[in-house]
Amino acid sequence: MKLLLATIAAASATATEANPIRRVVSLLQAMQEKIEAEGKRQAKQMDKFICYCKHNTEDLTKSISDGKETIELLASKIEAATNGKAQAEAELAQAKEDRAEAQKTLADAEATREKEAAEFAAESGEMKANIDAMGKAIPA
């Protein structure tokens, strides 16, 4: 009986290992299933990538157009500010000229007033002396 069991065990072992063509076919079928699964996974990833590219392109296009509008707006603001600066510089130069002229006029007026004050003081002193002399001469 032992011999019979050993023979059956040996026969079943050789049956599962026996056919090398069957092993190759099994390996090829497993490889086919693996490749098909990988293809499906890559197709899903490609669909996600295409969707990302589509939405990302739309967003980038919108961002670019917004950026161009912002550039135009800022360029006009810069131009206006440059013109305003040039006008302010011209007004500042004119104000400096006016101030210098006013200071010169003020200095001339002060010199004239000092000269007139000196003349008045001299005449006033002379007139006071004459009035005093007349005041003394009249009672005498």
Side-chain angles (χ1 to χ4, degrees):
M1 181 96 137
K2 286 184 179 181
L3 182 59
L4 183 62
L5 287 174
T7 309
I8 293 175
S12 66
T14 56
T16 56
E17 295 178 7
N19 197 350
I21 295 174
R22 173 50 69 201
R23 281 184 46 199
V24 170
V25 169
S26 297
L27 287 174
L28 288 174
Q29 287 173 344
M31 189 184 298
Q32 180 181 2
E33 290 173 3
K34 189 176 180 181
I35 290 173
E36 286 175 358
E38 187 176 321
K40 289 177 184 178
R41 194 169 29 99
Q42 285 182 353
K44 284 182 183 178
Q45 288 178 344
M46 183 58 94
D47 289 341
K48 286 181 183 179
F49 180 71
I50 289 171
C51 181
Y52 168 77
C53 289
K54 180 181 176 185
H55 292 303
N56 196 31
T57 302
E58 291 171 359
D59 293 343
L60 287 176
T61 303
K62 184 179 182 310
S63 295
I64 289 170
S65 65
D66 291 347
K68 287 180 180 180
E69 290 175 10
T70 303
I71 288 171
E72 291 173 4
L73 177 67
L74 292 176
S76 66
K77 283 185 178 182
I78 289 171
E79 185 178 340
T82 303
N83 292 339
K85 181 183 177 225
Q87 182 180 358
E89 286 175 348
E91 290 174 359
L92 178 64
Q94 183 62 41
K96 284 181 179 180
E97 286 179 19
D98 293 345
R99 182 173 181 249
E101 186 177 324
Q103 286 177 339
K104 183 179 179 235
T105 304
L106 181 64
D108 290 345
E110 285 178 356
T112 302
R113 298 303 170 255
E114 287 175 6
K115 180 180 171 188
E116 289 175 352
E119 289 175 1
F120 174 75
E123 277 186 43
S124 175
E126 195 177 307
M127 286 186 183
K128 285 182 185 178
N130 288 340
I131 291 174
D132 285 342
M134 280 191 212
K136 290 180 188 176
I138 293 179

